[in-house]
Amino acid sequence: REFFVKRGIQPSATPSPDFEEPLPVPGQSVEEELGAADGATTEEKQLSFQERLATMTVPEKMKYATKGTREHRSILIRDPNRLVSSAVLSCPKVNDAEVEAYAKMGNVPEEILRTIAMSRAWTKNYSVVLALVKNSKTPVALTLNLMNRLVEGDIKKLTTDRNVPEAIRVAARKKYVKEKHG
């Protein structure tokens, strides 16, 4: 501070915002939020976020989706509102591991799986492609296209996987036989 004061720059009365801090909750001051976070375990914080989620508006949810923590994003990806769940994928903090986890989830909207499958950046990762193919909610047309990128061992496993649609099992069986005899 002295360095800046000597050069004629006066410090502000309020500190500048730090974006690494948790976002304030509607109806609760920042001090209450931080105080609750110190004494609460992660499970209690998670529960309280889920409780607060019910009273949040769509813009507030979108703000949490783009600037919140990994836990917030994992909850908000399943939100029935398309804007909120799509905002999670547009967050710059989302990495391949999170996208793979979203692709494995059976309770995410089909549109999210479609968005992941259409993104070249995410489908470069083999584990994301495999998760999309194994997810029963992924649209069959996209699954058939992604199946071409799988290795023989994974295609063989798909032939007997009861969690994928019948059309995918049949296509996997045909592809496996073609590669085996081919």
Side-chain angles (χ1 to χ4, degrees):
R1 282 187 167 191
E2 292 174 15
F3 173 82
F4 290 108
V5 172
K6 287 179 185 175
R7 283 156 181 78
I9 301 171
Q10 295 299 320
S12 173
T14 59
S16 63
D18 185 9
F19 292 110
E20 295 301 317
E21 293 178 10
L23 297 169
V25 178
Q28 185 177 25
S29 72
V30 176
E31 292 79 21
E32 289 173 320
E33 174 72 12
L34 293 175
D38 292 340
T41 64
T42 55
E43 191 173 304
E44 291 170 347
K45 283 190 270 186
Q46 189 87 350
L47 183 64
S48 62
F49 176 73
Q50 287 179 331
E51 290 169 352
R52 289 179 278 153
L53 195 61
T55 60
M56 281 187 199
T57 63
V58 172
E60 290 169 340
K61 288 180 183 180
M62 288 178 66
K63 189 173 182 180
Y64 269 96
T66 54
K67 296 184 179 179
T69 64
R70 173 181 262 188
E71 290 80 23
H72 293 158
R73 291 192 299 271
S74 67
I75 293 169
L76 290 170
I77 193 76
R78 296 177 292 228
D79 197 88
N81 190 319
R82 296 166 123 179
L83 291 172
V84 176
S85 53
S86 296
V88 171
L89 293 180
S90 68
C91 176
K93 294 180 186 176
V94 172
N95 57 26
D96 285 348
E98 284 182 72
V99 172
E100 181 184 350
Y102 302 153
K104 286 181 180 178
M105 289 180 180
N107 55 356
V108 293
E110 182 180 309
E111 185 175 317
I112 294 301
L113 297 173
R114 188 180 304 274
T115 304
I116 293 170
M118 299 303 273
S119 169
R120 185 180 171 114
W122 290 325
T123 54
K124 283 181 184 178
N125 187 339
Y126 183 81
S127 56
V128 171
V129 173
L130 183 61
L132 285 169
V133 170
K134 286 185 171 183
N135 193 332
S136 60
K137 272 192 139 182
T138 306
V140 174
L142 289 173
T143 304
L144 291 173
N145 286 339
L146 292 172
M147 197 185 328
N148 294 328
R149 299 174 53 191
L150 297 181
V151 296
E152 186 178 332
D154 288 328
I155 291 173
K156 183 178 181 185
K157 288 177 188 172
L158 274 178
T159 61
T160 58
D161 190 350
R162 288 279 182 198
N163 295 326
V164 296
E166 182 65 26
I168 303 302
R169 276 198 304 268
V170 169
R173 212 171 290 127
K174 285 180 183 176
K175 185 169 175 58
Y176 181 69
V177 168
K178 183 179 177 183
E179 286 180 6
K180 202 72 169 162
H181 297 294

